[in-house]
Amino acid sequence: MTKRFGGVAAVDSVSFEVAGGEIIGIIGPNGAGKTTLLNCISGVYRLDGGDIRWEGGSIAGMAPYRIARLGIGRTFQIVRPFGSMTVRENAAIGALFGSEAARSGPKEAFKQADGVLELVGLAAKASLPVSALTIPDRKRLEVARAVATRPHVLLLDEVMAGLNNVEIDQALDMVRAVHATGVTVLLIEHVMRVIIGVCRRAIVLESGRVLAQGEPEVVLRDERVIQAYLGERYAKRLRHERDQEGPY
Amino acid sequence: MVRGDSNRRWRRIFLILAAVVGAYALLAPLTSLDAAQSANIPLLADRLWFRLATITAMFIVMATAWNIIGGITGYAAFGNVAFFGIGAYTTGMLIAKARWPFLVSLPFAPLVAAAFAAFVGLPLLRLRGHYFAVASLGVGVAVGELVQNIDYRGQAVFGGASGLFLPIYATNNRGLFFFYLMLAAAAASIAVTWWVLRSRFGYGLIAIRENEEAAAVLGVNTTAYKVAAFSLAAALTGLAGGIFSQWNVFINQDNAFPIEYNVQMILMALLGGTGTVFGPAAGAVLLQLLIQFLGGTLPISVDIPFVSATARPIVAQIILGVLLVGVVIFVPRGIIDFFGGRTRFSLGYLRRSLRETSL
Amino acid sequence: MGVGFGLVWGVLNIVNLAHGGLVIIGGYITWQLFSALHIDPFLTLPVDAVALFLLGYTMQRGVINRIIRAPLLFTFLLTFGLNLILVNILLLVFGSDFRSVTPSYSGQGLELGRVVIPYVPLISLGVAILLSAALAFILNRTRIGLAINAIAADRDAAQLVGIDLRHAYAITYGLGAACAGVAGGLIAMIQAITPTAGEPFTLQAFVVVILGGLGRVSATVVGGLAFGLVEAFGQSIPGSGSVFANAIAFGLMVLVLVTRPQGLMGRLR
């Protein structure tokens, strides 16, 4: 897919495939186009070129709510809770609408919501107003709400940003738990520990293009990737050090 | 907890008050029936009473209806009086020109109003905030003007500047009939609001209000829902207009599309509490009482010192303006908050409201 | 009129429904000075500007600032309430009779060959251009003007660099009111005024800003010209076109909003 803003291609002919049940990480320096990519997939942006295919059909140009109905769920980098509702009600919105598997009446939706809150660890805070939640909890709620839509694919946008190490571990467990229920997960992240810890495959974006793809450990050692993140001087230094040290 | 007790007490006071007012509203009219009169029961509801009560019920319908699009969905429409007028003229035209009976013409008022709302809503609801508010105001004003002035081959289609006259509805006790009819419309509006707030539809609307983009990616068809809410509000408002046209027997641009109604219905919903079931109704009753009191049309009236009779309506408007400013600054969440048991009315509350929104 | 309205809207994010009332106050000040002291109406315009500036400053600082961070609905209602108060005070003081300001040269005009351009509208145009230029100057060259621009761009950042928001907001509103006052003085010379005559002006100001585009003074000027053209065109439609003038204006506005929300010249916000 390709997406342009004015003269700049934020996403430039990015192409990749996702198989069911995978956990894929999308990484890259700031401004690489990761969130734009997510916005294209979830229908928030319209593509300027290319296509997105889902289970054989094209979803490019579909309204966001229809993409959600197909089973593609997402979270927002800066969380967007429904401020005047409780935690439980927030999660229930996902179950009330969402994919074909969800979309139930209020009673059923609240039951589903309870289940999802249990999954992400917010069950104890279900009746609190959203304003009473800490940032990590709000991120959990954001994930819970998206999971409540019973998606086939879940797009997570920098869920780990701003979390300390303990909270990251907890969030990692949460992601694994969600994945274990059969959801395919696409993670945008800056925290490498997360990518290495949970992703089977990583895609590196830079300036709107795919720089590298493959297993996280391999990709992160790729010189081009290091160069993209840290700059050419550091990459050269690293290469020099490696040559000196030998294969280790 | 002490606060809980006092809140419960306020809630009980409110419920008792509401019950008393409700019973009075329902039963007092019965004293005007011939049967009651011949039994020498004192007349609690005379023509003035019926007039004021019917107008109040009318505003309950409008405020509650506005609440659906403005309070629950968060799209503050400023031109809803257009639907009132459309409803009034629909019923009016069917009765006056097509000679249909009133009760057959009435259902068309909400239908036509809703259809119009769906038609203008599709482009309009794509706008946000300021733009939507003033665009809807513009539509409201424009519709009134058009209806008054459209000519077909030299003849005013809708009665033009001289207005539309309807035949008087033949019934024994007109005051009672139309009051109960309007009251039924009010009850229907409140019932619809109650239903919406606990339905999937209502949750979707609130989600749209709180964060439209999040709602969309969660699977809410925001366009369809917004238009539906708008049309629903229009239908109820149109119903009030339809009843009004036959009740008043005469409609023209001034009484079917009065611009001040726009602000009044919003103020009522605001005063009572937007987004709640009974808030707009409470606000409507309160504000209507105040307006009538200031205007001197209530049986009990107080002379404002230093003000002559001619200046009285002007001073009343000034007081209304001051009240509006005061409510917006100090009680933005409406008074129903106090009766719902969540907060106590105190200086601290006023100060807190102020701090939340001021610079 | 549009420029003052647009300034308040662009910087404070307030749609000022009291605009019409402020305009009419300006008209009445001019009328009072003209009829009681026989001062040439064009010379009263600076008085209008100063008086309305002070009024506007006080209104903003005292009242409107209290709800500046509240959702849009509240500012709408608040300014509507303020308008109610202003207009009715005018009614109390001046009564509802129509007043007009007719200086001795109001019927005469500049003769260019066979065309006569009446003096009053001609000078009014000059005043409007002068005022817009003055406003642009204030916004781009003075300290307070730059502060206002900064706030319009990023309110929090502006506070961080030490700009007194309350004062700056009040100045902005005062400037907007001053423009309204001058507009009122000019209008008093063109048509008869009564306290409630201000209602259509607010809506017209809105249409002007939308047509031209929010963001720059020049854009609003273009909007004003465009609106004037549309109005004149609407008046000249055979039949009862003049009655539909309002409806046409609003129809145009809605059309612009839906198809090109940034207006003819504005930038998308």
Side-chain angles (χ1 to χ4, degrees):
Chain A
M1 28 185 153
T2 299
K3 173 68 188 166
R4 292 198 193 87
F5 291 108
V8 178
V11 170
D12 197 348
S13 310
V14 168
S15 193
F16 59 92
E17 277 183 26
V18 177
E22 286 194 272
I23 302 188
I24 300 183
I26 300 182
I27 60 180
N30 279 324
K34 308 187 293 292
T35 299
T36 309
L37 185 71
L38 218 66
N39 281 335
C40 288
I41 299 176
S42 61
V44 174
Y45 289 160
R46 295 202 126 194
L47 287 183
D48 288 314
D51 194 10
I52 307 174
R53 303 192 69 81
W54 166 256
E55 292 193 347
S58 167
I59 63 170
M62 266 193 191
Y65 79 91
R66 288 185 62 199
I67 294 184
R69 272 200 217 175
L70 287 175
I72 300 178
R74 67 162 295 176
T75 63
F76 286 95
Q77 187 174 352
I78 301 177
V79 293
R80 296 176 179 229
F82 298 126
S84 69
M85 299 190 206
T86 64
V87 168
R88 199 161 171 253
E89 285 168 337
N90 265 269
I93 298 283
L96 277 172
F97 301 96
S99 72
E100 298 299 345
R103 303 189 73 83
S104 34
K107 258 198 224 127
E108 175 67 33
F110 277 101
K111 246 191 281 166
Q112 300 243 4
D114 287 330
V116 169
L117 290 177
E118 189 75 51
L119 187 70
V120 303
L122 277 177
K125 310 192 179 172
S127 42
L128 290 181
V130 169
S131 48
L133 291 184
T134 61
I135 298 276
D137 278 341
R138 287 189 199 199
K139 292 188 168 242
R140 284 205 184 88
L141 179 59
E142 187 86 359
V143 174
R145 205 171 57 177
V147 171
T149 64
R150 308 263 225 114
H152 300 289
V153 178
L154 185 59
L155 310 168
L156 296 175
D157 197 347
E158 296 200 36
V159 172
M160 309 292 173
L163 300 184
N164 63 36
N165 278 326
V166 174
E167 289 159 349
I168 290 181
D169 283 330
Q170 292 169 337
L172 265 178
D173 287 336
M174 178 178 71
V175 173
R176 288 197 191 96
V178 169
H179 179 241
T181 63
V183 177
T184 308
V185 179
L186 254 82
L187 275 173
I188 293 182
E189 266 315 326
H190 273 294
V191 181
M192 293 311 157
R193 181 153 79 83
V194 169
I195 302 291
I196 296 177
V198 94
C199 298
R200 222 66 64 70
R201 180 154 63 107
I203 301 173
V204 186
L205 288 183
E206 196 224 355
S207 300
R209 295 212 178 83
V210 175
L211 194 58
Q213 255 194 81
E215 281 187 23
E217 294 87 352
V218 174
V219 153
L220 285 174
R221 280 170 175 267
D222 189 323
E223 206 178 279
R224 297 169 297 164
V225 175
I226 298 177
Q227 181 169 319
Y229 268 105
L230 300 172
E232 200 173 332
R233 274 176 68 194
Y234 193 81
K236 276 207 186 117
R237 230 182 75 192
L238 205 66
R239 197 193 319 140
H240 181 71
E241 281 171 15
R242 278 200 198 137
D243 290 338
Q244 299 245 298
E245 286 169 19
Y248 300 102
Chain B
M1 196 173 40
V2 175
R3 175 171 287 191
D5 284 335
S6 96
N7 285 339
R8 265 195 295 274
R9 187 162 29 102
W10 275 108
R11 195 191 196 114
R12 216 170 297 148
I13 293 178
F14 173 67
L15 286 173
I16 295 176
L17 207 68
V20 166
V21 169
Y24 175 66
L26 260 171
L27 299 174
L30 296 174
T31 61
S32 69
L33 288 173
D34 293 332
Q37 283 300 293
S38 34
N40 282 326
I41 299 178
L43 183 68
L44 287 177
D46 60 355
R47 277 176 67 179
L48 179 65
W49 190 98
F50 276 123
R51 185 162 184 86
L52 294 176
T54 309
I55 291 183
T56 305
M58 190 173 83
F59 273 106
I60 291 181
V61 178
M62 288 198 282
T64 309
W66 182 88
N67 189 33
I68 295 178
I69 184 68
I72 298 179
T73 314
Y75 273 76
F78 265 79
N80 272 18
V81 81
F83 305 123
F84 179 80
I86 289 177
Y89 269 91
T90 302
T91 306
M93 290 291 284
L94 286 175
I95 296 177
K97 301 285 168 94
R99 306 248 163 242
W100 286 16
F102 170 54
L103 290 173
V104 173
S105 314
L106 188 60
F108 283 90
L111 281 172
V112 174
F116 182 72
F119 176 64
V120 295
L122 273 169
L124 234 57
L125 287 163
R126 274 198 265 154
L127 307 169
R128 303 279 186 97
H130 293 134
Y131 297 103
F132 173 74
V134 183
S136 59
L137 177 62
V139 167
V141 171
V143 168
E145 254 192 29
L146 283 172
V147 165
Q148 166 120 323
N149 294 304
I150 283 188
D151 283 340
Y152 184 65
R153 301 202 189 156
Q155 277 257 13
V157 177
F158 296 106
S162 50
L164 193 68
F165 280 90
L166 279 67
I168 299 182
Y169 189 67
T171 185
N172 253 345
N173 192 337
R174 259 194 301 281
L176 186 120
F177 175 72
F178 281 104
F179 171 62
Y180 277 146
L181 192 61
M182 197 66 90
L183 195 66
S189 313
I190 296 180
V192 165
T193 307
W194 181 82
W195 170 80
V196 166
L197 279 175
R198 51 204 317 263
S199 71
R200 195 162 159 266
F201 177 56
Y203 276 106
L205 294 180
I206 298 179
I208 292 176
R209 176 187 78 204
E210 298 291 312
N211 205 310
E212 193 162 343
E213 223 180 66
V217 302
L218 286 172
V220 179
N221 184 346
T222 52
T223 309
Y225 271 46
K226 282 189 288 191
V227 172
F230 199 43
S231 302
L232 189 57
L236 290 169
T237 311
L239 180 65
I243 300 176
F244 172 77
S245 69
Q246 177 66 91
W247 176 53
N248 204 42
V249 185
F250 166 72
I251 51 175
N252 66 1
Q253 186 185 4
D254 288 328
N255 67 14
F257 294 96
I259 301 186
E260 59 266 20
Y261 278 14
N262 282 318
V263 175
Q264 279 179 22
M265 66 174 95
I266 297 178
L267 182 57
M268 289 166 180
L270 200 69
L271 184 66
T274 54
T276 64
V277 178
F278 289 103
V285 172
L286 218 74
L287 195 66
Q288 195 52 223
L289 281 174
L290 192 67
I291 290 177
Q292 302 288 359
F293 177 70
L294 287 175
T297 46
L298 286 186
I300 322 156
S301 84
V302 171
D303 275 319
I304 312 175
F306 305 121
V307 171
S308 66
T310 43
R312 199 209 174 89
I314 301 176
V315 174
Q317 290 284 318
I318 295 182
I319 296 180
L320 206 65
V322 173
L323 177 77
L324 181 49
V325 171
V327 166
V328 169
I329 293 181
F330 290 109
V331 196
R333 272 192 299 272
I335 58 173
I336 205 96
D337 232 16
F338 307 128
F339 297 117
R342 253 179 289 167
T343 34
R344 280 189 65 219
F345 185 74
S346 66
L347 252 143
Y349 175 81
L350 296 178
R351 245 182 281 145
R352 256 177 291 137
S353 289
L354 196 63
R355 226 179 301 145
E356 260 175 50
T357 54
S358 70
L359 210 51
Chain C
M1 189 160 63
V3 163
F5 187 80
L7 180 66
V8 169
W9 186 10
V11 176
L12 287 83
N13 214 31
I14 294 176
V15 176
N16 182 21
L17 291 181
H19 193 72
L22 295 171
V23 168
I24 290 295
I25 291 179
Y28 269 98
I29 293 178
T30 294
W31 175 79
Q32 186 74 294
L33 289 175
F34 174 73
S35 62
L37 300 176
H38 299 290
I39 303 177
D40 181 84
F42 284 107
L43 293 177
T44 65
L45 294 181
V47 180
D48 287 336
V50 171
L52 261 322
F53 177 82
L54 292 172
L55 176 65
Y57 187 92
T58 321
M59 275 170 62
Q60 176 70 28
R61 192 91 194 230
V63 180
I64 303 180
N65 263 346
R66 306 266 174 241
I67 49 115
I68 203 108
R69 295 193 314 181
L72 154 77
L73 178 65
F74 297 142
T75 56
F76 251 69
L77 292 175
L78 185 80
T79 53
F80 183 87
L82 288 173
N83 191 50
L84 212 59
I85 298 173
L86 288 174
V87 168
N88 281 286
I89 290 181
L90 278 179
L91 272 174
L92 277 181
V93 174
F94 291 104
S96 60
D97 297 330
F98 280 85
R99 317 275 183 196
S100 66
V101 173
T102 38
S104 53
Y105 47 84
S106 59
Q108 300 156 356
L110 193 65
E111 291 181 31
L112 297 174
R114 287 173 55 180
V115 174
V116 179
I117 306 176
Y119 283 130
V120 172
L122 188 63
I123 305 179
S124 303
L125 182 65
V127 171
I129 295 177
L130 205 70
L131 192 67
S132 306
L135 198 68
F137 178 80
I138 294 177
L139 285 177
N140 293 324
R141 298 296 174 97
T142 65
R143 254 185 90 205
I144 191 68
L146 291 173
I148 293 174
N149 271 316
I151 296 173
D154 189 327
R155 183 167 75 188
D156 296 321
Q159 265 189 304
L160 285 176
V161 299
I163 295 177
D164 179 354
L165 275 189
R166 267 179 296 193
H167 179 63
Y169 272 7
I171 297 252
T172 310
Y173 195 84
L175 287 175
C179 290
V182 172
L186 292 174
I187 284 172
M189 289 186 249
I190 297 178
Q191 67 177 67
I193 56 169
T194 180
T196 51
E199 309 305 316
F201 295 139
T202 309
L203 298 172
Q204 286 177 357
F206 196 87
V207 177
V208 165
V209 172
I210 292 199
L211 277 185
L214 195 62
R216 284 174 293 167
V217 174
S218 52
T220 316
V221 171
V222 169
L225 290 171
F227 181 75
L229 281 172
V230 172
E231 281 276 288
F233 182 67
Q235 304 263 6
S236 66
I237 292 179
S240 45
S242 61
V243 183
F244 291 118
N246 246 349
I248 294 177
F250 282 123
L252 185 66
M253 176 182 82
V254 174
L255 194 70
V256 169
L257 278 178
V258 172
T259 55
R260 194 189 155 87
Q262 67 266 44
L264 291 171
M265 276 183 65
R267 283 166 249 138
L268 202 55
R269 263 193 163 230

